[in-house]
Amino acid sequence: MQAESDTEAGFDPLTGLMRRRRFGEAVAAILRKSPDDPDKPVLLSIDLDRFAMINDSAGLETGDAVLKRVASRLKGAAGKDAILGRVSGDEFAILLPQSGNAAAIGEKLLELVGRPYAVNGHAIKITASIGVAHWPQDGMDAEALLRSANIALHHAEIEGRNRQKAFEPSMLELSRLRHALE
């Protein structure tokens, strides 16, 4: 019985996607297998822009329904070999096993998430921002890769949302400087 509850604990009951810890473990396992593979994995960190407004204006039940539909769209667009997780409230992450098509998949994800949702009598329009991190140059392990993708995500949001942004090492220095100023 304990093993079953441990298994259930690794998945988000709302979306069926891996939770942050389980996602990190799955990413770590893939990265251990990939050192000599010429096509390196890439991690996408996806945040729903201004999602709190949906919960505030249409209610938590509608917000949850939107999250389920977003997760479904992400699953459909990411491909069968991708690893998906819901890493926090309205933030998702996807590990793509091959970096070659990451930009195109990111654009497709932005387009799909941005399509309107008809939920509980509400017409919901939402966008997303995406941060992209490539292994190994942007992070050698799962946590570092997710951190780099999140830094790039933050830059995508600063630049106006509803876009994807690839991690650049200069972003890390800007992030450290901003943190020191705060």
Side-chain angles (χ1 to χ4, degrees):
M1 201 60 154
Q2 181 65 32
E4 186 176 324
S5 73
D6 288 347
T7 301
E8 290 172 2
F11 291 90
D12 174 44
L14 181 67
T15 63
L17 299 178
M18 293 179 203
R19 291 184 177 170
R20 183 182 186 98
R21 182 172 159 206
R22 168 75 54 104
F23 177 79
E25 291 167 354
V27 169
I30 294 294
L31 297 182
R32 282 192 297 273
K33 294 178 185 176
S34 299
D36 299 323
D37 189 344
D39 201 6
K40 304 298 185 193
V42 62
L43 194 140
L44 307 179
S45 181
I46 303 154
D47 186 55
L48 301 181
D49 298 327
R50 298 180 177 96
F51 181 75
M53 287 180 14
I54 293 172
N55 284 336
D56 292 346
S57 62
L60 296 176
E61 185 178 308
T62 298
D64 283 352
V66 170
L67 288 172
K68 287 166 97 172
R69 292 192 184 173
V70 166
S72 178
R73 290 181 186 183
L74 294 176
K75 286 179 200 176
K80 63 178 175 52
D81 294 329
I83 297 172
L84 284 83
R86 180 177 174 206
V87 294
S88 70
D90 66 335
E91 187 175 330
F92 299 86
I94 300 173
L95 183 76
L96 302 171
Q98 301 174 342
S99 61
N101 57 354
I105 289 175
E107 288 301 317
K108 184 177 181 180
L109 293 172
L110 289 173
E111 189 268 324
L112 286 173
V113 169
R115 289 182 184 170
Y117 301 82
V119 180
N120 298 337
H122 299 277
I124 305 289
K125 177 80 170 128
I126 192 163
T127 59
S129 297
I130 300 175
V132 181
H134 293 82
W135 183 80
Q137 65 266 32
D138 298 336
M140 292 297 293
D141 59 40
E143 197 57 39
L145 201 58
L146 188 56
R147 184 173 47 250
S148 294
N150 283 335
I151 290 170
L153 168 66
H154 181 68
H155 282 265
E157 291 172 334
I158 288 172
E159 290 181 12
R161 294 180 163 67
N162 193 29
R163 67 189 69 231
Q164 66 178 324
K165 186 84 177 159
F167 178 79
E168 299 169 10
S170 62
M171 292 176 180
L172 184 58
E173 190 55 37
L174 286 172
S175 179
R176 287 180 181 149
L177 179 61
R178 189 178 315 110
H179 180 71
L181 287 173
E182 288 177 4

